[in-house]
Amino acid sequence: MGNRILVVDDAAFMRMMIKDILTKNGFDVVAEAADGAQAVEKYKELKPDLVTMDITMPEMDGITALKEIKGIDPSAKIIMCSAMGQQAMVIDAIQAGAKDFIVKPFQADRVIEAIQKTLA
């Protein structure tokens, strides 16, 4: 069985793109969440091996969700997803405990490389 991954993004098509890349590469997408609050709930419920987390979302943003998940599970493996030009937020995320970040638009090989490196 592949590693269990939670995909978090407020845009359904972005979740679909990541899910497609992951499943084609043998990963198991166990759940999706559309905002940070959902991400925290799904993390508690499913304890996935890794989370891909969008930064900019309604309700609760990715950095807040990252901090909450790290509060629940300090060993959580979270990769942030950001659009170009969000360097300051990416730095905040890394300082808050994110393992890596991938930039939109996603390139499949970069997504897989970041995930394999984080799970290694």
Side-chain angles (χ1 to χ4, degrees):
M1 187 176 111
N3 289 96
R4 300 167 66 252
I5 300 179
L6 167 61
V7 174
V8 185
D9 199 303
D10 57 324
F13 75 96
M14 283 294 179
R15 294 196 307 270
M16 195 177 71
M17 278 176 61
I18 295 182
K19 188 174 180 175
D20 189 50
I21 292 168
L22 296 177
T23 49
K24 281 182 179 155
N25 285 276
F27 295 100
D28 180 16
V29 176
V30 290
E32 297 177 29
D35 64 50
Q38 279 182 20
V40 173
E41 288 309 307
K42 299 261 191 219
Y43 191 90
K44 282 188 215 168
E45 181 190 332
L46 300 165
K47 298 279 190 279
D49 299 314
L50 185 135
V51 180
T52 65
M53 179 86 69
D54 185 25
I55 290 181
T56 313
M57 295 181 289
E59 303 300 319
M60 181 192 289
D61 68 32
I63 294 174
T64 307
L66 163 72
K67 290 174 180 167
E68 288 215 7
I69 290 171
K70 284 297 222 177
I72 298 161
D73 178 3
S75 66
K77 293 183 164 94
I78 302 171
I79 295 176
M80 304 308 285
C81 305
S82 74
M84 284 294 199
Q86 290 185 314
Q87 274 76 8
M89 286 187 200
V90 167
I91 291 165
D92 286 350
I94 300 290
Q95 287 171 339
K99 298 290 185 196
D100 203 345
F101 67 94
I102 44 182
V103 176
K104 297 173 183 178
F106 300 118
Q107 292 171 304
D109 55 350
R110 175 67 189 114
V111 173
I112 297 307
E113 175 198 332
I115 288 174
Q116 287 173 337
K117 190 175 85 184
T118 301
L119 289 169

